[in-house]
Amino acid sequence: MVSRPSRIDDVSRCATVVPSAVAVLLALTACGGGVEGTPGGSGVRDPYFPKAGNGGYDVTHYALDLAYVPGTHHLTGTATITARATQDLSAFDLDLRGLRVEQVTVDGRGARWNRAGQELTVRPPGELDDGDTFHVTVRYSGTPVTITDPDGSQEGWLRTADGALALGEPTGSMAWFPGNHHPSDKASYDLAVTVPEGLRAVSNGELASETSKGGRTTFRWRTTEPMASYLATVAIGDYTVSRSTTGGGLPVYVAVDPEQAEESRAVLVRIPEVVQWAEGVFGPYPFSSTGAIVDREYDAAYALETQNRPVFPGAPDAETLVHELAHQWYGNSVTPKTWRDMWLNEGFATYAEWLWREDHGGDTAQQTFDALYDENSEVLWAFPPASPSDAAHISGRSVYDRGAMVLHRIRQTVGDDRFFGILRGWASAHRHGNADTGDFTAYVERKAPGVDFGRIWEEWLYGDGKPARQDRTGALTAPCATPRTGGRAGGPCGGR
């Protein structure tokens, strides 16, 4: 569990940040007063992160205006959040970890607020009715924190040698802007980042403008497609930028740390090729641009599928590039309803690696499946992919590899034509939305009527331990021992 500031510390901090010019007004509106009426929930009861997200409203847009000084690690921000009330609201919560709140307004009027851990509770000057659209603006500043996840990895605001890197999965985005930080609430974004002249600020979506004045440069980015907050990123530093387009005209924006430029060149030039291949397998690319951000190896410990342009710690290999770009369909466009559904992200992206390998002269997906099945690994079978044991294991190996094995078992059962129709149809049916495991199993069953998936769901998706191997009819069988061929003519043993 991440340590949190005490309520006493938060309230005292809240009470001492009133600017002198508006002291009388804000002293009356900031911090004080209990919450009565019908407040929104201070969490959405996620099975692994119960305090993540907030109830009572749905965010439709974030407008973030940030300024960062790497030398002092100081961040200044104004977040204007457009939301719709989903119930009558006398108060609502925003997630914000650390940072100093200076002012909160709702629809332009001063609002009372208080802090408790990651919760910023806002009481608007008048109750909001169910269905009302409202705007909450939060002014804040301070030194953003780095958060250590239950699995020991770090996220939030990561300092780098020349700037910073913001990574958000699963809860790190609350370290640099207030919001409804749960994957079930997606929104569009306008993000302005001001940095010292000579540095760049790279984010999601498309670069709308770049202007310099007084020794500082402001980069304005716009993301029009819905995005979960954990997929938002800001990369500040000295980057070499290249722009191109895919064969289909999709803009490609790539930002690379100069130390990684030479090593990254050969793989990054394949982004259009990977996108074209993925569109042939998964359907139309779901966003208005693509690309990548490559930082130094020691700036982050993992790659992340940040929307439009994934982040890589050092030059990725081709399969890692495939994995993170596949997430643009599975995870970014079709986003999980809760963190329990991570296999719908990672199992699909891992299977994309298998398919890339199969289509490019490497092992078939069946060979990869067989090798995993025969591997003597307690970690692989430690828990079912659809039910990680706890928050520390939502990115565990079972979620990735056994999740991919579930997809391969479906492929074995229904055959290639129907299986690849399911992959494309799933991405299309939930495009820019949210889905959970129950939605997926129901979808598969609708697309393959009369097929019994009971043993796949019970043993591979939800079952404990290592399932018995089965052939595509469901009978127990030994691993395939016949030669396979590459390409899409797969079938259970490499032949249709």
Side-chain angles (χ1 to χ4, degrees):
M1 177 68 71
V2 177
S3 62
R4 299 174 179 172
S6 71
R7 183 181 181 88
I8 293 175
D9 288 344
D10 282 327
V11 172
S12 64
R13 191 165 56 236
C14 171
T16 59
V17 295
V18 180
S20 58
V22 291
V24 174
L25 173 62
L26 293 186
L28 295 174
T29 58
C31 303
V35 175
E36 300 175 354
T38 55
S42 60
V44 294
R45 298 183 180 180
D46 185 273
Y48 299 109
F49 299 92
K51 297 297 287 184
N54 302 284
Y57 65 94
D58 173 61
V59 176
T60 57
H61 185 71
Y62 290 93
L64 306 177
D65 192 345
L66 309 177
Y68 186 65
V69 182
T72 62
H73 313 299
H74 187 76
L75 177 72
T76 302
T78 299
T80 299
I81 301 166
T82 303
R84 181 180 60 85
T86 57
Q87 65 177 65
D88 293 341
L89 281 177
S90 59
F92 57 89
D93 280 25
L94 299 170
D95 300 314
L96 181 64
R97 178 70 187 274
L99 299 172
R100 180 185 181 95
V101 175
E102 298 167 357
Q103 183 182 7
V104 181
T105 64
V106 177
D107 292 330
R109 300 170 62 193
R112 290 186 290 175
W113 51 272
N114 67 278
R115 304 288 300 277
Q118 71 183 47
E119 301 299 324
L120 169 61
T121 301
V122 178
R123 186 169 184 178
E127 184 160 315
L128 300 168
D129 294 331
D130 186 3
D132 282 354
T133 295
F134 63 95
H135 306 273
V136 55
T137 298
V138 181
R139 289 178 50 203
Y140 59 98
S141 64
T143 302
V145 299
T146 297
I147 296 172
T148 300
D149 288 339
D151 67 1
S153 60
Q154 292 189 320
E155 54 167 327
W157 195 265
L158 309 180
R159 297 179 187 178
T160 64
D162 55 355
L165 177 62
L167 299 178
E169 189 180 56
T171 63
S173 295
M174 70 175 71
W176 56 282
F177 69 96
N180 199 18
H181 292 296
H182 190 265
S184 59
D185 193 358
K186 302 166 74 170
S188 59
Y189 285 72
D190 280 292
L191 180 66
V193 188
T194 300
V195 296
E197 195 168 6
L199 297 181
R200 303 196 69 85
V202 184
S203 188
N204 313 90
E206 284 71 60
L207 181 62
S209 67
E210 176 184 337
T211 57
S212 294
K213 182 179 180 181
R216 302 195 302 170
T217 304
T218 299
F219 298 83
R220 298 184 183 278
W221 292 87
R222 176 165 295 168
T223 303
T224 56
E225 295 97 349
M227 178 168 69
S229 65
Y230 80 90
L231 297 168
T233 189
V234 174
I236 297 169
D238 178 17
Y239 292 104
T240 300
V241 170
S242 62
R243 297 175 175 88
S244 61
T245 58
T246 67
L250 183 73
V252 181
Y253 185 103
V254 174
V256 182
D257 186 283
E259 289 187 9
Q260 299 296 319
E262 184 62 31
E263 189 176 356
S264 300
R265 186 172 292 111
V267 67
L268 295 179
V269 77
R270 302 187 72 180
I271 289 176
E273 174 194 356
V274 173
V275 170
Q276 182 177 0
W277 170 84
E279 286 188 310
V281 181
F282 308 133
Y285 184 79
F287 300 112
S288 53
S289 67
T290 189
I293 300 169
V294 180
D295 242 313
R296 282 163 288 198
E297 294 179 2
Y298 47 82
D299 287 337
Y302 51 87
L304 189 64
E305 63 267 26
T306 44
Q307 195 156 301
N308 300 94
R309 51 192 52 82
V311 170
F312 300 95
D317 59 28
E319 289 190 8
T320 303
L321 180 66
V322 168
H323 182 107
E324 303 305 339
L325 288 177
H327 272 309
Q328 306 305 307
W329 284 262
Y330 307 109
N332 297 11
S333 177
V334 185
T335 304
K337 288 181 179 177
T338 78
W339 289 111
R340 176 178 285 155
D341 304 301
M342 271 284 279
W343 84 275
L344 292 174
N345 296 14
E346 302 302 349
F348 279 68
T350 300
Y351 200 69
E353 295 182 57
W354 297 15
L355 296 177
W356 173 268
R357 201 178 303 144
E358 182 174 85
D359 285 353
H360 291 81
D363 287 348
T364 65
Q366 183 63 47
Q367 287 173 313
T368 304
F369 179 95
D370 289 343
L372 285 171
Y373 188 87
D374 293 338
E375 185 180 318
N376 184 19
S377 171
E378 293 183 4
V379 174
L380 179 60
W381 310 106
F383 57 83
S387 187
S389 52
D390 53 37
H393 291 92
I394 62 168
S395 295
R397 189 179 177 198
S398 179
V399 171
Y400 286 69
D401 288 342
R402 189 169 166 185
M405 295 176 87
V406 170
L407 295 177
H408 192 70
R409 286 292 294 116
I410 297 170
R411 181 182 177 184
Q412 288 177 313
T413 301
V414 302
D416 279 6
D417 288 345
R418 187 172 288 180
F419 173 74
F420 288 103
I422 287 171
L423 282 188
R424 289 187 292 271
W426 174 250
S428 175
H430 294 278
R431 183 181 175 94
H432 300 316
N434 294 86
D436 62 19
T437 300
D439 295 324
F440 177 71
T441 57
Y443 182 84
V444 171
E445 290 171 354
R446 287 197 305 273
K447 293 301 178 181
V451 177
D452 183 6
F453 294 96
R455 297 190 72 171
I456 296 177
W457 307 152
E458 292 167 12
E459 298 180 10
W460 288 88
L461 188 56
Y462 288 105
D464 292 322
K466 185 176 182 177
R469 191 192 298 272
Q470 300 161 348
D471 66 17
R472 58 192 296 174
T473 67
L476 297 179
T477 183
C480 295
T482 55
R484 292 83 158 180
T485 58
R488 187 46 35 74
C493 285
R496 188 175 296 280

